[in-house]
Amino acid sequence: MSNQQSGIPFEATSSLQGYTSGSTAVPHNTVNFSIIANSGNTNSFNTTNINYYGETDSSQSHAEILQCLYTSKYEEHRDRVREPVEGTCTWVTEHSRYKDWLGKKSSGLLWLSGDPGCGKSVIASFLINHLKIHTNAVVCYFFFKDDSEEQRSATFALCAILHQLFVQRISLGAFAREAFQAKGKGFTQEVNTLWNILVKAVAEGGRGEVICVVDALDECEERTLDQFVRRVVGLSRSQTSDFPLKFLVTGRPYHKIERELGSPATTIRLKGEDEVNAITTDVNRAIDEGIKNLESHWGQAGKLEYLRNQLKSAADRTFLWVSLVLEILKDSEDGSVEEFSDIVSSMPRDIPELYTKILNKSRYPDKARRILHIVVAATRPLTLEEMNAAVKIKPDHKSIKDLGDLAAGFDKSVKNLCGLFVRVIDSKIYLVHQTAREFLIKGSSPGRGNWQYTLCSQDSNFLLANICISYLSLEDFEKDPLEIDLSYPCLFDERYIGYLQKYPLLDYAATHWACHFRDSRARQKELFEFTRLIFQGRSERVLTWFKVYWANHRHSAFFPDDFTHLMIASWFGQRAVVEQLLQEGGEIDARSERYGTALNIAAFRKEKGIAGMLVQRNVKAYFRGRDYSVLYMRRSNTGGRAFGI
């Protein structure tokens, strides 16, 4: 069936400039090409962005906008933060700078800075509740975190803020309708668009004050951080005196952020690092609560006063150190006075040394290191079931049965291997703190001991790519393929959910293997031959993992069931793989019924480097029912207008 007969509109555009291949160079004029499939049985071509949602009434449109904006589980992310001990964090609400910021009738920015491990995230979570109780404002929030893909970007933060705003003030959702109708879900990927929607909704919506609490600004990726900070700081400069939008952000006092936020003209700064007495008082309260719980746990009511004093003298205003030591005391063998005294007296005062001491206790350091590689490289936290499969999978495994028993209880194995260095929250595995991540990852400085600065990002990603590819290669996916219709939403389909439960690592591996392969960088070639099995065109194994990837990324309904190895590599931007496949030859001009050739696909995905490689090798583009050589057309000017040449 031709594309004309299928009635499916398709467009892909790209610009290729000055690509060279060996001694042959394409002229350095810009080469623009558009590959557009005909729509229906007409002779006209659809060159506009396709709105898959169509015209809807306002209630349906509002629901669809909310679904687009729900890009992260922001409530779950906040739940990772420990509950504050009663009586702590109140010093912030009593501080004059906090009161100045809250009392302003105009927009304002409050930056609460503080050193690592001093409880900034706990304070942020506390203030969310405090503001909801003590103000009439709509309170929205977001917690940045470097260990999760959906917590690293300012676009996710703005989507979460808008989602909360539109849930609490339904009428304001109308301010996103124009962007939604013009760009579909694409508007959620643009900081500028999201910010403009927020500002307009608050300024013109007439629904009262809006306060946004944003935690750990220093853990936002640099690509979107600058855009976000520039706009937040600009609020105080550009808005009228009664503009009711305020931001409270927390973060470490890094020079880059200090430079952007530090101006007194735009930012009220509350330096937590200077509030020695307030932080010390809160840490002491946490110690008092911890000792009380420890006495209850060991049945020694009123007998651990000596520990209270030891901890208070050693804590150095660091909640993280206190919480780790209290956990170690709770896990001690007999709870005797001698054991407790030995633990506290021998405990390093320095957090990196404490991390080293915790990890050195592992009886199986190689297994512990494998888990830590995975946790550090993972684009989102893995569940216990996923980690269990990831730890056990090997490249020579053929079937899911080869992994052995994946029964419950793996949380105990993780704790035995990694100790308090990791935490399990809602069956997901996290590092105990951001400082634990920084402790592990290699930098320019040499580390101390067997653990500090020993994990290389490239090696961690290589390991996880190897794990994912090994899992996707299992013969189970050929013999027991995923049978779902991707023309309809399947994320809530019982068959789909049941299939993913049957194969616990499939969801992660299918969705993220390509990212880890890319980030393996120079080690990609070591995995190339191994990937052939999961690239084998039109096999049930390939269709199974690609369907899961497709469903999770919420691409258009038009699932490609006829991609070749070269097409998949072009889709994922795998330049080294494309280069190798072009050298091998084969069906480089093969065409997908709905998506055209590999060149069409590279253009559609805006992979300019790969598109340039394909053009140099004279891979054809499919256009208006015919295959064209872009190089030939450029040199002969045949059909040049059609491709914008």
Side-chain angles (χ1 to χ4, degrees):
M1 181 170 62
S2 69
N3 283 309
Q4 279 187 317
Q5 292 171 324
S6 70
I8 296 170
F10 167 75
E11 177 186 3
T13 61
S14 180
S15 295
L16 311 178
Q17 301 189 31
Y19 295 100
T20 60
S21 176
S23 58
T24 305
V26 179
H28 283 257
N29 305 50
T30 299
V31 180
N32 295 318
F33 57 89
S34 298
I35 302 108
I36 310 167
N38 198 359
S39 177
N41 295 318
T42 66
N43 292 320
S44 62
F45 292 87
N46 180 0
T47 60
T48 61
N49 288 328
I50 303 161
N51 178 6
Y52 293 108
Y53 303 94
E55 297 296 326
T56 60
D57 61 34
S58 58
S59 60
Q60 184 176 351
S61 174
H62 180 78
E64 290 174 333
I65 288 169
L66 286 179
Q67 290 168 11
C68 286
L69 288 171
Y70 193 64
T71 57
S72 66
K73 298 177 181 177
Y74 54 83
E75 300 111 325
E76 186 178 298
H77 300 156
R78 184 188 173 197
D79 288 343
R80 290 177 57 181
V81 179
R82 296 178 187 271
E83 289 288 329
V85 171
E86 187 175 354
T88 61
C89 305
T90 56
W91 66 269
V92 177
T93 62
E94 296 164 0
H95 200 285
S96 59
R97 296 197 175 182
Y98 175 86
K99 291 179 178 178
D100 288 346
W101 166 79
L102 189 60
K104 290 180 67 175
K105 293 183 178 180
S106 61
S107 61
L109 168 62
L110 175 66
W111 175 28
L112 173 61
S113 60
D115 295 325
C118 289
K120 296 183 296 298
S121 296
V122 174
I123 291 174
S125 186
F126 167 83
L127 290 174
I128 292 166
N129 289 338
H130 181 84
L131 289 165
K132 285 182 176 181
I133 293 170
H134 296 283
T135 72
N136 294 321
V138 177
V139 181
C140 308
Y141 61 85
F142 188 79
F143 286 75
F144 282 111
K145 208 69 177 173
D146 192 34
D147 63 3
S148 175
E149 187 176 47
E150 62 180 45
Q151 288 183 264
R152 292 178 190 148
S153 171
T155 57
F156 285 98
L158 288 168
C159 282
I161 288 169
L162 287 173
H163 188 271
Q164 293 166 76
L165 179 61
F166 296 163
V167 166
Q168 296 177 72
R169 298 289 186 269
I170 293 175
S171 63
L172 298 183
F175 288 94
R177 194 169 297 140
E178 182 180 347
F180 171 68
Q181 290 174 342
K183 302 175 181 179
K185 67 181 180 183
F187 84 95
T188 64
Q189 300 167 12
E190 300 173 358
V191 171
N192 188 54
T193 300
L194 293 166
W195 180 261
N196 289 340
I197 292 170
L198 175 62
V199 169
K200 194 170 183 181
V202 176
E204 301 177 16
R207 303 296 288 173
E209 187 176 40
V210 176
I211 298 177
C212 303
V213 178
V214 178
D215 179 58
L217 200 60
D218 51 283
E219 295 189 45
C220 177
E221 61 176 15
E222 287 192 20
R223 183 177 61 87
T224 56
L225 174 62
D226 290 343
Q227 301 176 60
F228 181 68
V229 170
R230 194 164 59 247
R231 285 162 175 79
V232 172
V233 169
L235 276 176
S236 300
R237 295 196 191 108
S238 60
Q239 300 299 333
T240 58
S241 60
D242 59 349
F243 182 63
L245 176 61
K246 290 181 178 148
F247 273 82
L248 188 158
V249 302
T250 72
R252 300 181 190 180
Y254 287 159
H255 176 68
K256 178 179 175 60
I257 295 177
E258 194 167 17
R259 188 177 65 241
E260 297 291 339
L261 294 179
S263 171
T266 58
T267 305
I268 298 174
R269 182 173 178 186
L270 202 171
K271 291 186 177 182
E273 61 270 30
D274 291 346
E275 299 296 325
V276 177
N277 292 334
I279 297 293
T280 299
T281 299
D282 275 6
V283 169
N284 288 342
R285 285 196 178 103
I287 291 172
D288 290 339
E289 180 71 13
I291 292 296
K292 180 181 176 182
N293 293 336
L294 201 61
E295 288 177 340
S296 174
H297 178 77
W298 286 104
Q300 298 189 35
K303 297 180 180 180
L304 301 182
E305 189 66 28
Y306 67 96
L307 278 183
R308 188 192 315 272
N309 296 330
Q310 281 183 282
L311 289 173
K312 287 183 178 180
S313 65
D316 192 28
R317 295 175 289 121
T318 307
F319 286 97
L320 176 60
W321 186 89
V322 169
S323 66
L324 287 171
V325 174
L326 287 170
E327 286 291 331
I328 291 170
L329 291 169
K330 185 178 178 181
D331 290 344
S332 61
E333 293 183 6
D334 57 24
S336 65
V337 172
E338 294 78 11
E339 185 183 17
F340 281 169
S341 295
D342 286 344
I343 289 173
V344 176
S345 61
S346 64
M347 200 59 60
R349 302 297 187 259
D350 179 64
I351 289 290
E353 289 182 16
L354 180 54
Y355 284 154
T356 300
K357 186 179 180 73
I358 290 170
L359 290 173
N360 278 344
K361 288 185 176 182
S362 178
R363 293 176 59 191
Y364 303 99
D366 290 341
K367 290 182 179 179
R369 197 176 298 276
R370 181 177 175 90
I371 289 175
L372 296 176
H373 268 297
I374 294 169
V375 173
V376 164
T379 56
R380 64 159 174 79
L382 269 66
T383 65
L384 287 166
E385 279 192 301
E386 289 172 332
M387 181 64 80
N388 198 354
V391 168
K392 292 182 177 179
I393 189 74
K394 299 292 187 295
D396 59 352
H397 284 162
K398 302 297 182 185
S399 168
I400 196 78
K401 293 179 181 178
D402 295 336
L403 274 65
D405 183 21
L406 295 178
F410 185 67
D411 56 330
K412 294 180 180 177
S413 299
V414 171
K415 188 172 183 179
N416 288 336
L417 289 169
C418 301
L420 296 173
F421 200 82
V422 299
R423 298 171 64 196
V424 177
I425 305 172
D426 294 332
S427 297
K428 294 179 181 176
I429 302 172
Y430 304 89
L431 294 177
V432 67
H433 192 261
Q434 173 64 13
T435 53
R437 183 182 184 86
E438 295 161 358
F439 169 82
L440 289 173
I441 296 177
K442 249 179 207 178
S444 56
S445 304
R448 292 176 292 176
N450 297 323
W451 297 95
Q452 189 178 32
Y453 307 150
T454 58
L455 300 192
C456 169
S457 176
Q458 176 178 296
D459 294 338
S460 298
N461 277 284
F462 174 83
L463 172 64
L464 201 41
N466 199 354
I467 288 169
C468 291
I469 294 167
S470 298
Y471 196 84
L472 298 178
S473 300
L474 295 176
E475 62 186 22
D476 301 72
F477 304 123
E478 191 69 35
K479 296 177 179 178
D480 177 30
L482 175 60
E483 302 285 356
I484 56 168
D485 183 0
L486 287 176
S487 298
Y488 304 94
C490 65
L491 294 180
F492 303 104
D493 186 299
E494 289 184 5
R495 292 173 303 162
Y496 181 70
I497 295 171
Y499 192 87
L500 294 183
Q501 290 173 342
K502 184 177 181 180
Y503 302 107
L505 191 56
L506 176 60
D507 180 77
Y508 185 90
T511 307
H512 301 291
W513 78 268
C515 296
H516 298 303
F517 183 87
R518 176 199 63 208
D519 293 338
S520 300
R521 298 193 295 274
R523 301 194 65 183
Q524 288 181 13
K525 291 185 178 179
E526 298 177 51
L527 293 170
F528 176 74
E529 289 301 324
F530 196 31
T531 63
R532 289 188 187 272
L533 195 58
I534 67 166
F535 276 144
Q536 206 169 56
R538 300 177 181 86
S539 72
E540 295 292 352
R541 181 186 282 109
V542 174
L543 291 178
T544 291
W545 74 256
F546 204 31
K547 283 177 183 177
V548 175
Y549 159 81
W550 203 264
N552 281 340
H553 281 78
R554 292 184 285 184
H555 289 297
S556 75
F558 310 131
F559 174 72
D561 58 3
D562 55 358
F563 270 16
T564 64
H565 194 163
L566 182 62
M567 291 174 188
I568 295 174
S570 298
W571 180 277
F572 286 111
Q574 295 173 343
R575 185 163 184 158
V577 176
V578 170
E579 186 176 15
Q580 177 65 34
L581 293 173
L582 289 175
Q583 290 175 5
E584 294 176 4
E587 297 181 320
I588 63 174
D589 288 320
R591 177 167 59 86
S592 166
E593 181 180 346
R594 301 192 193 282
Y595 288 86
T597 67
L599 181 53
N600 293 75
I601 291 164
F604 175 61
R605 296 282 287 176
K606 296 182 174 63
E607 295 288 349
K608 294 185 179 182
I610 288 177
M613 292 168 58
L614 295 170
V615 167
Q616 288 297 331
R617 292 300 298 267
N618 202 24
V619 174
K620 293 180 172 55
Y622 185 73
F623 178 69
R624 294 186 179 180
R626 293 178 59 188
D627 290 328
Y628 286 88
S629 165
V630 175
L631 276 180
Y632 173 77
M633 293 175 67
R634 178 64 186 86
R635 289 165 181 162
S636 66
N637 204 33
T638 303
R641 289 183 181 178
F643 286 85
I645 300 175

